[in-house]
Amino acid sequence: DTGVSQDPRHKITKRGQNVTFRCDPISEHNRLYWYRQTLGQGPEFLTYFQNEAQLEKSRLLSDRFSAERPKGSFSTLEIQRTEQGDSAMYLCASSLFVAEAFFGQGTRLTVV
Amino acid sequence: AQKITQTQPGMFVQEKEAVTLDCTYDTSDPSYGLFWYKQPSSGEMIFLIYQGSYDQQNATEGRYSLNFQKARKSANLVISASQLGDSAMYFCAMREGREGTSYDKVIFGPGTSLSVIP
């Protein structure tokens, strides 16, 4: 297994369009996290899955954001009606029980 | 409320010297874990070191050690013998849980930018 994989690596979209990102965690990792990171800031928690269950969603997330993890494997993060303020790096991480979280390379979103 | 505080936005250290990066945290759960990650300019997040709240000894990994002071709720990272390649952003992170459940999430501090001077 080569680690956490995120697709696409870069996405440029027009304001108002919908975008979907995919994350493939390390096999058998039961925990999956989504974060958003803007330049010079720490990763900001968005949502967290344990297997297929979404256990928490940040209050910072508007209703335009939704995430799924069907069958407890890969996960998708969708942003509807994108806004310029959504421009950021979206990071996915996975972990097994209480071990460290391993990160993907991220998806850089630019909303124009 | 801010749960992880890193009070040093930027730090400089001379090559081959040691440097301490500060981290304080806040949690009411007795079971938690503390991590440090490095993020070079290339953007990937690299795990460095982990300390569990019940661990008696301070964690060490090569040139990295974690100075864990539980009563003060601090988990400072010490990098010995700094190298030019250590120049990066460093993030303190905490895994917090809910006692009696398997719930946990990992949250990050704002980071410290470390620059190693030749």
Side-chain angles (χ1 to χ4, degrees), chain A residues 31 33 35 37 40-43 45 48 50 55-56 91 95 97-103 105, chain B residues 35 37 39 42-45 47 50 89 91 95 98 102-111:
Chain A
R31 288 161 167 79
Y33 307 86
Y35 296 88
Q37 187 178 28
Q41 303 296 314
F45 173 80
Y48 150 56
Q50 188 166 303
L55 295 193
E56 186 162 334
L91 295 168
S95 73
F97 300 114
V98 295
E100 66 271 20
F102 292 87
F103 281 81
Q105 297 280 60
Chain B
F35 305 84
Y37 284 83
Q39 189 177 43
S42 55
E44 74 265 38
M45 293 285 283
F47 165 74
Y50 168 79
M89 284 290 291
F91 294 100
R95 175 187 299 281
R98 293 174 183 164
S102 60
Y103 171 91
D104 73 275
K105 77 177 186 185
V106 181
I107 56 174
F108 285 77

Side-chain angles (χ1 to χ4, degrees), chain A residues 27-87:
Chain A
S27 298
E28 300 177 353
H29 276 194
N30 60 342
R31 288 161 167 79
L32 188 147
Y33 307 86
W34 283 99
Y35 296 88
R36 177 171 62 190
Q37 187 178 28
T38 52
L39 195 62
Q41 303 296 314
E44 175 186 33
F45 173 80
L46 294 180
T47 190
Y48 150 56
F49 290 87
Q50 188 166 303
N51 300 312
E52 65 276 7
Q54 187 175 22
L55 295 193
E56 186 162 334
K57 182 178 176 180
S58 170
R59 286 171 292 177
L60 299 172
L61 278 188
S62 72
D63 292 341
R64 298 184 296 107
F65 287 73
S66 63
E68 294 182 340
R69 193 185 182 196
K71 303 179 183 178
S73 55
F74 72 93
S75 176
T76 58
L77 176 69
E78 182 183 17
I79 309 174
Q80 296 181 328
R81 305 181 302 282
T82 51
E83 302 172 356
Q84 287 190 320
D86 297 331
S87 295

Side-chain angles (χ1 to χ4, degrees), chain A residues 7-8 10-22 34 36 46 63-68 75-90 107-112:
Chain A
D7 183 69
H10 304 274
K11 178 71 176 179
I12 300 174
T13 190
K14 291 184 178 179
R15 190 174 55 182
Q17 297 294 305
N18 299 344
V19 294
T20 300
F21 309 142
R22 177 180 171 122
W34 283 99
R36 177 171 62 190
L46 294 180
D63 292 341
R64 298 184 296 107
F65 287 73
S66 63
E68 294 182 340
S75 176
T76 58
L77 176 69
E78 182 183 17
I79 309 174
Q80 296 181 328
R81 305 181 302 282
T82 51
E83 302 172 356
Q84 287 190 320
D86 297 331
S87 295
M89 177 74 84
Y90 289 83
T107 293
R108 182 168 295 285
L109 174 66
T110 303
V111 182
V112 297

